[in-house]
Amino acid sequence: MTSSTLPLAPETTTVSGTGACAETTAGYWPWATPTTGPRDLAADGWVRGHDPRTVASGRARAQDPDYPEWLGHVKAAAACKHPIRLAGQIHVNDADGNRMATVDTEDMPDGAIYTPCGNRRAAVCPSCAELYRRDTYHLIKAGLQGDRWGLPPLHEHIAIFLTATAPSFGPVHHRVVKVHAADCRKKDGCTCRASVCHPFGRVCPHGVDLRCGQRHRAADGHLGQPLCLDCYDHVGQVVWNHEAPELWRRTIQQADRELRRLGRAHGVELRRRYIKVYEFQVRGVIHYHALIRLDGYNPDCPDAIVPPPRVITRDLFEEAVRAAFVKTAYTSAGHPANGGQGWRIAWGDKGLDLKHVNAPGGTVNLAQITGYIAKYVTKSTEVTGLSLRRVDDISVEVHGDPATHLGRLIRACWHLGEHPAYARLRRWAHQFGYGGHIATKSRAFSVTLGFLRMQRTIWRRTEGHPHTWDDEQTERVIYELGYQATGWITTGDALLANTAAAMARARHQAGIDALAGELAAHRTAARPLAA
């Protein structure tokens, strides 16, 4: 292209502002128009998006001669958003219990030991939540695959993945996609054409038309909101959340009964092991994702994990599990708000979403289901649009707005919690009544999170040589540490520590990618050429 064919530069005009000079573009390059004058940027004193005080504190730390020592000292909690600072003494004893040395945190950088907060919620601390997710991933993988950490190979065991939901407490805005595209990401970021929300309906006693002709998008704020707030059973929903752990306990006991009947019918003994996590739906009620593995029984070694007899097929296992969920129902404790009576607690009428893991011709494999379950342990009520800590007498007035769906759920927890039998509703009002643990499992399903954390501790203390670890070492080191504070001392410290952690993660990922590339190249080179 010659110079004669180049587009002409746009005309610019100078417009006087409040102590600043701004240029507006009159041509066809609107994105070239500066949004703020240079003097405004200089007056703010911000450097590349960081407050000047942050830059100053970070520069002071980086210019300190002991900066490399400090960076190594905070390495364990470098990526944490809210690290815990501990102060005290560490004593080292010999095999006979005699004290050999004492280390005081006053002699350490910042006079404290930094430890990660360990919060599992990604909205609170992404780094600790990712570590929690990875531990859960390996815990589930060990329970499905085995052949590690003392578990036998589990490829001959059959397993079922199921999703159990709550009943309906009233019509809400929902999004249903009957046919997804081949490259659709399903729940997250789905752009497929959805069905009409509620094409048919009637006018409720409160004068609200229970119809919605919209096709909601995946991120629509109306999803999960009742069509009529007054018709929705907010009390029944928080009571169901409150009783969900007990409902699961009774269901798994009923599953044991069904498996005993199945075993007696075929002259064998069966055992089930499971792991489950909960997830909040956008309407504020929980549902469970569970993975149930079927094992056999060895009378000579009752604690051994053995595969089930071949006479028990996947279909028989599925029938027993479905029967347990259908039969389980009970009435909760009485409450004056319900005329002194309790509420009927049971699973939803839509039935179970049940799939077999690694079944021939099935769509659910080990890697897929392991990652699917593990990702939910870092989530909580964020999907509902409200993420709170504990609710008290003051915050309930702020967040318990009776004009909103979530506000009515919080109010229902607070009012029902006045009764002694439902006192836990107030404690867990920020989770709409649910107070169960994010993940529970059978003892013999897999190893524990404590075991995985201990393995990581051994790896770190032996500098990558765990075979040199002696269990008696834990008895020779005595920690006398107490809480000092939470968080980084300055924002500059947080910036430097998180930057160092991000660079370490990038190097680690680069090494993994390089190793994967070498393995792929080796497999390609070892593949015989076609004749």
Side-chain angles (χ1 to χ4, degrees):
M1 181 181 293
T2 61
S3 58
S4 60
T5 60
L6 292 174
L8 298 177
E11 299 179 0
T12 58
T13 58
T14 301
V15 181
S16 60
T18 307
C21 177
E23 292 185 351
T24 58
T25 304
Y28 47 85
W29 294 341
W31 56 85
T33 305
T35 57
T36 313
R39 293 183 183 178
D40 292 336
L41 291 174
D44 291 340
W46 290 62
V47 180
R48 293 186 178 181
H50 295 296
D51 188 281
R53 292 169 296 182
T54 301
V55 176
S57 61
R59 183 181 293 114
R61 173 71 75 177
Q63 292 175 349
D64 192 326
D66 297 331
Y67 173 66
E69 181 183 357
W70 175 84
L71 201 59
H73 180 64
V74 303
K75 181 179 179 180
C80 182
K81 196 173 182 180
H82 309 285
I84 309 298
R85 303 204 299 270
L86 304 176
Q89 295 179 335
I90 303 175
H91 306 292
V92 182
N93 298 340
D94 59 14
D96 298 329
N98 300 318
R99 183 146 302 171
M100 300 174 56
T102 297
V103 180
D104 199 313
T105 57
E106 289 293 336
D107 301 328
M108 300 179 180
D110 296 341
I113 292 178
Y114 286 81
T115 182
C117 67
N119 198 298
R120 67 165 183 85
R121 297 174 60 181
V124 178
C125 182
S127 173
C128 293
E130 177 62 16
L131 185 61
Y132 196 98
R133 185 197 66 81
R134 292 184 179 184
D135 284 350
T136 305
Y137 175 88
H138 288 290
L139 185 149
I140 299 172
K141 184 177 180 181
L144 281 179
Q145 180 175 315
D147 202 16
R148 61 190 309 188
W149 297 322
L151 294 171
L154 303 174
H155 59 277
E156 296 183 5
H157 298 243
I158 59 178
I160 283 178
F161 173 71
L162 61 89
T163 300
T165 58
S168 173
F169 300 99
V172 298
H173 293 276
H174 64 273
R175 183 175 188 269
V176 177
V177 179
K178 296 181 178 179
V179 180
H180 287 273
D183 58 345
C184 178
R185 297 174 56 194
K186 297 296 176 69
K187 291 180 61 176
D188 301 330
C190 174
T191 57
C192 301
R193 179 179 174 86
S195 302
V196 177
C197 180
H198 282 86
F200 307 104
R202 55 179 176 79
V203 178
C204 73
H206 305 97
V208 178
D209 191 4
L210 302 181
R211 287 184 295 179
C212 177
Q214 298 184 13
R215 302 179 186 270
H216 296 291
R217 295 176 287 104
D220 197 329
H222 291 90
L223 293 177
Q225 300 299 312
L227 297 181
C228 177
L229 275 176
D230 297 326
C231 290
Y232 196 84
D233 186 9
H234 295 89
V235 171
Q237 177 168 320
V238 299
V239 170
W240 196 93
N241 279 344
H242 176 265
E243 296 289 332
E246 175 64 17
L247 178 61
W248 173 264
R249 187 186 70 85
R250 298 190 181 207
T251 303
I252 209 67
Q253 288 181 347
Q254 183 63 35
D256 289 339
R257 300 187 190 100
E258 297 296 330
L259 289 177
R260 282 197 294 269
R261 294 191 186 100
L262 178 62
R264 285 196 298 267
H266 293 82
V268 297
E269 292 190 35
L270 304 172
R271 286 185 174 181
R272 56 99 192 113
R273 270 83 183 222
Y274 75 91
I275 184 171
K276 72 169 178 66
V277 299
Y278 73 80
E279 179 194 8
F280 269 97
Q281 293 180 340
V282 69
R283 57 174 173 156
V285 70
I286 65 128
H287 62 282
Y288 285 126
H289 300 290
L291 184 65
I292 304 179
R293 188 188 73 211
L294 185 63
D295 297 344
Y297 177 76
N298 185 356
D300 297 331
C301 185
D303 294 334
I305 301 176
V306 297
R310 295 186 179 275
V311 69
I312 305 300
T313 63
R314 295 181 182 270
D315 292 337
L316 293 176
F317 184 31
E318 177 181 349
E319 291 177 4
V321 173
R322 287 189 180 276
F325 277 82
V326 172
K327 294 180 180 179
T328 305
Y330 69 99
T331 302
S332 65
H335 195 284
N338 197 29
Q341 302 296 320
W343 287 266
R344 185 179 185 275
I345 307 299
W347 299 103
D349 298 332
K350 294 184 178 180
L352 290 176
D353 182 7
L354 192 149
K355 299 178 181 178
H356 295 279
V357 180
N358 284 343
T363 58
V364 180
N365 55 44
L366 185 148
Q368 176 187 9
I369 204 62
T370 302
Y372 184 80
I373 297 178
K375 73 177 183 179
Y376 287 115
V377 300
T378 65
K379 300 180 180 180
S380 187
T381 59
E382 295 86 358
V383 67
T384 66
L386 187 65
S387 181
L388 303 176
R389 301 184 76 88
R390 299 289 183 190
V391 177
D392 53 24
D393 293 324
I394 298 177
S395 58
V396 71
E397 298 295 334
V398 177
H399 302 290
D401 185 2
T404 63
H405 172 55
L406 301 182
R408 292 200 179 192
L409 291 177
I410 294 176
R411 288 276 183 177
C413 291
W414 203 253
H415 294 326
L416 293 176
E418 296 178 351
H419 193 275
Y422 291 86
R424 282 174 56 86
L425 277 174
R426 285 196 168 187
R427 174 178 173 83
W428 299 103
H430 62 293
Q431 291 204 141
F432 314 123
Y434 183 75
H437 197 274
I438 180 62
T440 58
K441 72 176 188 66
S442 303
R443 291 184 179 181
F445 177 83
S446 182
V447 296
T448 63
L449 290 175
F451 174 84
L452 295 178
R453 290 163 184 159
M454 188 60 191
Q455 295 299 309
R456 186 162 51 249
T457 300
I458 293 174
W459 180 275
R460 183 170 60 249
R461 292 183 179 177
T462 58
E463 297 181 351
H465 301 84
H467 60 279
T468 63
W469 176 258
D470 184 3
D471 291 338
E472 295 182 358
Q473 295 180 26
T474 58
E475 301 176 359
R476 300 176 185 175
V477 181
I478 302 175
Y479 295 89
E480 294 181 353
L481 301 174
Y483 173 80
Q484 185 188 70
T486 299
W488 299 98
I489 296 179
T490 65
T491 311
D493 289 352
L495 179 63
L496 292 173
N498 281 261
T499 301
M503 294 175 65
R505 287 195 301 268
R507 290 194 298 268
H508 177 70
Q509 186 61 42
I512 293 177
D513 295 341
L515 181 60
E518 292 180 2
L519 293 176
H522 177 72
R523 287 193 296 267
T524 303
R527 187 179 304 163
L529 298 177

